[in-house]
Amino acid sequence: MSYLKEPKSSKFDRDPALASPLAAAISAQDRETLAMVASALKDRRMRLAFQPVVYAADPSVIGFFEGFIRLLNLRDQVIPARDFMGAVEQQQLGREIDCAALQLGLMAMQRNPQIRVSINMSARSVGYRPWTDILRRALQDSPRLGANLILEISEASALQVPDVLKPFMSDMREHGIVFALDDFGAGMTSLRVLQDLGFEIAKIDGSLVKHVDRLSEGQAVVRAAIAMAEELGMYVVAEAVETEGEATWLREAGVGCLQGYLFGPPTVTPDFRAFRHGRPTVTV
């Protein structure tokens, strides 16, 4: 699941002096949170939490792990991602978070070469030299690493800079890297652009998965998302799966992999020994 979302509004650009007292207080709180994030990055107070993504046909088999960045305040408490991720998408701070997540993920893969990991990124990081330097150095030092790396990009982010993203994806595929389209089905989709980019994996947004086994209107949307992904040649993963009912419905609907608390929460102390590759006929 992607951790960088599109900004909900322009509140971070407003002048607090021109806003209401409540808005000014909220803005001050936002600035304080962003200051904590910047401090955590500077002092390396960060972890990567890994969540298993399992095969729908056999949930005992882990297809890959998704890495989620965890930034810590001075009391070693996690700074809630929802408090800052939307605000940093178009800032350098967002690129620095991407750098931290990528570096931690690559380090975990180098220490555990048997695992496959997906790392979240913003499409904007493709043009950020420190981020690309981290990736290219790792591929140079460990050429086999690319075959086990998945880069996740949200649908909204991918559609912002497709002309920059396309050559980067083409280049990275030469190293074996696979690309996943996160939050699939949650927003406005440009089929032409998505077809042109050619993502290998589509991750159906968790908001569509919730209670899908009990809500007929939601089922129609998920079936349409699955059909669209398959038409575009993408392997389908459903995220935020929390109940056996949801898992069963998604499995019968044709979803290839499942991710969610039903199969394990993100943890900074994963047991990578539990990882084993799935069946050779599965493309992920």
Side-chain angles (χ1 to χ4, degrees):
M1 183 175 63
S2 176
Y3 62 84
L4 290 180
K5 305 295 184 183
E6 282 301 290
K8 301 296 184 184
S9 70
S10 59
K11 67 179 180 180
F12 295 96
D13 297 324
R14 295 175 187 157
D15 182 356
L18 302 178
S20 69
L22 176 59
I26 293 173
S27 181
Q29 183 178 2
D30 291 336
R31 291 198 301 271
E32 182 179 350
T33 300
L34 294 180
M36 283 194 297
V37 169
S39 174
L41 289 168
K42 178 182 177 181
D43 297 337
R44 305 293 297 176
R45 296 193 307 274
M46 61 188 73
R47 305 285 188 277
L48 206 62
F50 295 88
Q51 185 175 37
V53 181
V54 304
Y55 287 105
D58 184 357
S60 69
V61 181
I62 299 173
F64 59 95
F65 294 90
E66 179 175 356
F68 296 91
I69 192 70
R70 296 289 188 257
L71 300 177
L72 310 176
N73 62 24
L74 291 173
R75 297 185 297 277
D76 282 341
Q77 298 169 325
V78 174
I79 305 170
R82 64 178 178 274
D83 290 353
F84 63 85
M85 286 303 184
V88 301
E89 165 70 4
Q90 299 185 46
Q91 298 184 20
Q92 180 170 320
L93 198 58
R95 310 291 75 74
E96 293 173 0
I97 292 173
D98 275 3
C99 285
L102 178 63
Q103 192 165 46
L104 290 172
L106 293 173
M107 288 170 60
M109 294 175 68
Q110 288 169 336
R111 291 192 298 266
N112 303 274
Q114 81 281 10
I115 66 174
R116 196 172 195 187
V117 173
S118 71
I119 303 297
N120 291 283
M121 60 170 289
S122 165
R124 293 179 181 275
S125 289
V126 171
Y128 188 58
R129 183 65 179 271
W131 187 89
T132 55
D133 283 349
I134 290 171
L135 180 57
R136 293 186 185 280
R137 280 198 302 268
L139 293 173
Q140 183 175 2
D141 294 341
S142 306
R144 296 183 180 180
L145 181 148
N148 285 336
L149 177 61
I150 300 170
L151 293 176
E152 288 197 25
I153 307 171
S154 75
E155 182 177 309
S157 180
L159 295 178
Q160 284 186 344
V161 288
D163 293 341
V164 175
L165 196 54
K166 184 178 179 179
F168 168 79
M169 293 172 68
S170 178
D171 183 18
M172 290 299 105
R173 287 189 176 108
E174 295 295 322
H175 298 276
I177 293 175
V178 166
F179 290 87
L181 184 65
D182 202 10
D183 303 335
F184 184 67
M188 298 297 292
T189 299
S190 171
L191 296 181
R192 182 190 62 78
V193 173
L194 294 186
Q195 185 176 35
D196 199 34
L197 292 173
F199 281 87
E200 288 84 2
I201 299 172
K203 298 189 74 177
I204 297 177
D205 188 73
S207 65
L208 304 180
V209 169
K210 190 175 181 64
H211 304 316
V212 70
D213 56 315
R214 295 190 279 116
L215 301 176
S216 57
E217 62 272 21
Q219 293 172 2
V221 174
V222 174
R223 285 197 181 97
I226 293 172
M228 186 185 303
E230 291 177 343
E231 184 67 24
L232 292 172
M234 293 188 284
Y235 185 86
V236 182
V237 177
E239 55 189 15
V241 181
E242 298 185 353
T243 69
E244 290 288 356
E246 293 168 352
T248 298
W249 190 93
L250 291 163
R251 183 184 303 113
E252 293 174 351
V255 170
C257 275
L258 305 171
Q259 178 181 1
Y261 277 77
L262 179 63
F263 309 103
T267 174
V268 296
T269 56
D271 182 7
F272 286 138
R273 294 173 300 176
F275 177 82
R276 55 193 176 96
H277 286 287
R279 301 163 183 77
T281 54
V282 178
T283 58
V284 299

